[in-house]
Amino acid sequence: KPAAAAAAAADSGKKELKREFKNGMEIVNVAMGKPDGKKAAAGKRVTMKYVGKLQTGKIFDQTKGAATFGFRLGVGEVIKGWDVGVEGMRVGDKRRLTIPPAMAYGKKGIKGAIPGNATLVFDVELVNVA
C-alpha cells in the first residue's frame, strides 16, 4: 500500500520523492516545508496555491498573486486526485500531482477548458491547514 510505503519512508528519515499508483496517479514531492508544520488530513480545511495544466503544458487554471484556494480535504469538494494527492502534505510543502481522467474530470472534461479523458498536472503548495 502506498500509505504504508510513505509511512516507512518517513520513519526511516527519508522522504519518498515520487509515488506512482497503478491507475496512473503520480505524486512527486518537489519541496518540503517545515517538518513540524501543520499536516493536511481528511476533514481539515486546507488552503492551497496551484497551477493546473494539461499534459501539453497549457495552463487551464491557477491561483494568481496572493490568491489561494480553500476546501475541506477528503470529503469530495474537489476532484479525487486532489483529495489523494494533498493528504499528508505539511504547510509549505510543494507537490506535482499527475492525475488520470478517472480521478479528475473523466470522459466529459470541462467544456472550453479541459478535453475529455485528459490527464492533468497540478503544481500545488499547501499554504495553511485549519
Side-chain angles (χ1 to χ4, degrees), residues 56-108:
T56 61
K58 180 183 177 197
I59 295 173
F60 62 83
D61 194 15
Q62 65 185 316
T63 53
K64 293 181 179 169
T68 57
F69 173 71
F71 65 98
R72 253 180 14 144
L73 186 63
V75 297
E77 288 184 8
V78 291
I79 59 173
K80 183 76 174 160
W82 270 51
D83 273 342
V84 170
V86 172
E87 175 117 27
M89 289 180 76
R90 292 193 181 274
V91 171
D93 284 1
K94 294 180 182 181
R95 286 183 178 170
R96 171 164 283 178
L97 309 177
T98 301
I99 303 175
M103 295 181 76
Y105 296 101
K107 292 178 183 170
K108 291 186 177 179

Side-chain angles (χ1 to χ4, degrees), residues 54 100-120:
L54 302 175
M103 295 181 76
Y105 296 101
K107 292 178 183 170
K108 291 186 177 179
I110 293 185
K111 190 174 180 168
I114 300 170
N117 289 319
T119 294
L120 307 179

